[in-house]
Amino acid sequence: SEYASGSGTKQDPFIIKNGGQLLYAIKQGYGYLKLANNIDLNNHNWKPFDFNGSLDGNGYVISNLRIERDDISCRGLIGKNAGTVKNLTIRGVVIKGDNAGAIAGYHCTGGVIDNCKVILSKGSVLQGTENVGGLIGYLYNGNADMQLTNCIVESTDDAATIQGVQSI
């Protein structure tokens, strides 16, 4: 589905109120986006896309993000992030595969992640062979042109896991 409202500019961002609108917005890969509701992805097998826009979570929560698929190389709400993600909480994730993180599988040059939180609740799993993390899976060369600020990963369940063989 398309956006709830907005024109995609900084002054008038696209407004996102449900999972279909969120998928549509991230698939487009650009523009200014702003959440206007909590969004439950209901553990549907999410397909991340590359993103070079601005996503303002506006203090809302995206819950039940699940990615278990072989047709992608970067696993997270966003596959490859070269844009801005801010003021967002993700609660409850199951992501299996390499380059896996709840916000982005791959954080690129120019990317910004600010004031974001990942809450690992009961049954949460981030698991792969390499490049696995709570927020992001792979940080491109630790380049100074990207930002990761004021973010936290917390667990509300002792059984929640982040697991990999290398680059965790």
Side-chain angles (χ1 to χ4, degrees), residues 2 19-20 23 47 52 55 57-58 74 93 95 97 99 110 116 121 124 128 158 163:
E2 292 188 16
L23 179 60
K47 183 172 183 179
N52 192 23
L55 172 61
N58 199 24
C74 298
V93 298
I95 303 176
N99 302 314
C116 290
S121 56
S124 288
D158 290 341
Q163 181 180 31

Side-chain angles (χ1 to χ4, degrees), residues 90-160:
I90 296 180
R91 177 188 302 269
V93 298
V94 174
I95 303 176
K96 295 183 179 179
D98 295 343
N99 302 314
I103 302 287
Y106 188 102
H107 193 50
C108 304
T109 299
V112 174
I113 299 176
D114 180 44
N115 197 35
C116 290
K117 184 178 200 178
V118 174
I119 301 171
L120 302 176
S121 56
K122 185 175 182 177
S124 288
V125 175
L126 286 142
Q127 181 179 45
T129 304
E130 62 183 10
N131 304 323
V132 179
L135 291 163
I136 59 172
Y138 183 77
L139 179 62
Y140 179 72
N141 287 336
N143 189 318
D145 290 340
M146 62 187 82
Q147 297 176 29
L148 183 62
T149 56
N150 197 30
C151 296
I152 188 169
V153 176
E154 70 178 43
S155 177
T156 61
D157 186 347
D158 290 341

Side-chain angles (χ1 to χ4, degrees), residues 28-119:
Q28 299 310 306
Y30 60 90
Y32 287 85
L33 316 172
K34 190 172 190 177
L35 296 187
N37 282 328
N38 292 325
I39 297 175
D40 188 345
L41 297 177
N42 295 307
N43 290 307
H44 292 291
N45 200 5
W46 182 259
K47 183 172 183 179
F49 293 91
D50 299 350
F51 186 69
N52 192 23
S54 177
L55 172 61
D56 183 352
N58 199 24
Y60 288 103
V61 177
I62 295 174
S63 58
N64 300 312
L65 172 65
R66 182 175 71 89
I67 304 168
E68 294 183 81
R69 48 191 323 135
D70 295 327
D71 61 336
I72 54 172
S73 61
C74 298
R75 295 159 178 87
L77 179 68
I78 296 168
K80 291 181 181 177
N81 180 50
T84 297
V85 180
K86 63 182 182 179
N87 307 319
L88 178 66
T89 298
I90 296 180
R91 177 188 302 269
V93 298
V94 174
I95 303 176
K96 295 183 179 179
D98 295 343
N99 302 314
I103 302 287
Y106 188 102
H107 193 50
C108 304
T109 299
V112 174
I113 299 176
D114 180 44
N115 197 35
C116 290
K117 184 178 200 178
V118 174
I119 301 171

